[in-house]
Amino acid sequence: MVGIFDNPQLLLFFIFGGVLVAGALGVVFHPNPISSAVLLVLSFFALAGIYAIIGSVFVATMQVLVYAGAIMVLVVFVLMLLSLHDEGIAKLWDHPLKKVLVLSVVVLLAVVLIHSVREGVPNTEASPKGYSDSGSYEYTLSKSEEGKAGVIAEGNTAAVGSSMFLDYLLPFEIVSILLLAAVLGAVILGKKNLGKKTEEGEP
């Protein structure tokens, strides 16, 4: 039996996975929103490391550039705009109904996670997309016909891009709309808070 220290890939997975879990718990339970944002950046970097371990170099790069970079700058900007304080987060536990709601969501997510781990990856018998028989990154755009060669996108970036905009175009656009709605909602809430402070005579 091969030990964990004899397999560097497995060892790195457990290291990054532990950092990811610890950072995620810190995001949820830390009372300071800015500190939670910093821990979220740490979680993004750990997740990028896991993507790199399994060979998804393009996804790992985008995880660092987009989420750990641009998205987190936006999150910190929104936090500063809303002027959140420690006591504002602590008020969440003052109401018993909110406690029950939060704990119910946590229990539901835990049940789903345990069920997913037990069931494993679905459709394991289906051939994975983006891989050739030799194990290289390839995505078939059109099959070969008589006298015509098929079109194949080669490389990790080409395979991910082709699959995203051909197989998963609708989910991609839905996520874009949700992110836009979240940004607009944060700006509207920030303007309301600024209006209240102006009426109360705060600087």
Side-chain angles (χ1 to χ4, degrees):
M1 183 177 179
V2 180
I4 184 174
F5 293 101
D6 298 329
N7 190 345
Q9 186 176 4
L10 184 60
L11 178 61
L12 287 174
F13 172 78
F14 278 108
I15 292 175
F16 284 123
V19 173
L20 177 59
V21 172
L25 292 175
V27 171
V28 176
F29 293 108
H30 203 285
N32 191 343
I34 303 301
S35 299
S36 296
V38 174
L39 290 172
L40 186 58
V41 173
L42 179 63
S43 301
F44 284 153
F45 274 106
L47 184 58
I50 294 177
Y51 282 135
I53 290 172
I54 64 177
S56 300
V57 181
F58 174 74
V59 180
T61 305
M62 291 299 102
Q63 181 74 24
V64 174
L65 292 178
V66 177
Y67 286 96
I71 297 298
M72 282 313 303
V73 170
L74 180 62
V75 169
V76 173
F77 173 76
V78 170
L79 290 176
M80 295 296 186
L81 186 65
L82 294 178
S83 300
L84 294 177
H85 301 287
D86 295 351
E87 59 271 14
I89 303 298
K91 288 181 180 178
L92 176 66
W93 300 101
D94 293 340
H95 201 285
L97 184 60
K98 292 182 180 180
K99 289 183 180 180
V100 173
L101 180 61
V102 172
L103 292 177
S104 301
V105 172
V106 171
V107 171
L108 178 62
L109 291 177
V111 171
V112 172
L113 179 60
I114 294 173
H115 178 73
S116 301
V117 171
R118 287 181 177 177
E119 292 295 327
V121 180
N123 301 324
T124 53
E125 298 180 356
S127 58
K129 295 182 179 179
Y131 290 95
S132 63
D133 296 334
S134 60
S136 59
Y137 293 104
E138 290 183 0
Y139 188 92
T140 303
L141 299 175
S142 63
K143 296 182 179 179
S144 58
E145 300 176 357
E146 280 189 34
K148 295 182 180 179
V151 180
I152 298 177
E154 299 181 354
N156 186 278
T157 305
V160 171
S162 301
S163 180
M164 179 184 297
F165 293 107
L166 292 176
D167 299 326
Y168 303 101
L169 180 60
L170 181 60
F172 176 79
E173 295 298 336
I174 291 176
V175 170
S176 302
I177 295 174
L178 290 176
L179 289 174
L180 178 61
V183 173
L184 293 177
V187 172
I188 292 173
L189 291 175
K191 285 187 175 181
K192 286 183 178 179
N193 290 339
L194 289 175
K196 291 180 180 179
K197 289 182 178 180
T198 304
E199 293 177 357
E200 294 173 357
E202 295 184 8

